[in-house]
Amino acid sequence: MTIAAVLRKKGNDVISVSPETLAVEVARLIASRRIGAVLVRDPQGGVLGIISERDIVKAVAERPNATHGVFVRDIMTRE
């Protein structure tokens, strides 16, 4: 399958969240949209980083009893 075919099927919308979004909300968004990551943007639309499935899995592994109170800003990839 080519990238063009994937974009035709999934669309080319860029999904983004704010740093104050709860990680559990991002997990639900990623699962429902069948995507692997979303951009993290500031209120002006500037890109602050990205949060991926891997970031969420790592947070769950490190904080098994506190994942519902984790914000995107705490676990996103900034570089």
Side-chain angles (χ1 to χ4, degrees):
M1 183 176 281
T2 66
I3 293 172
V6 170
L7 290 176
R8 274 194 301 275
K9 183 175 179 179
K10 291 191 174 221
N12 57 4
D13 293 338
V14 176
I15 308 299
S16 62
V17 296
S18 78
E20 290 77 32
T21 304
L22 288 170
V24 69
E25 293 175 33
V26 176
R28 289 182 187 122
L29 176 65
I30 285 173
S32 69
R33 297 286 221 137
R34 299 185 65 201
I35 55 178
V38 298
L39 290 179
V40 182
R41 294 187 177 201
D42 64 25
Q44 294 76 34
V47 176
L48 300 172
I50 190 168
I51 183 163
S52 67
E53 293 170 317
R54 181 175 292 175
D55 294 320
I56 294 168
V57 168
K58 183 179 175 191
V60 168
E62 292 173 350
R63 306 167 182 88
N65 296 321
T67 54
H68 278 65
V70 176
F71 291 94
V72 166
R73 67 175 175 259
D74 300 325
I75 63 172
M76 69 185 207
T77 300
R78 298 174 188 276
E79 298 174 7

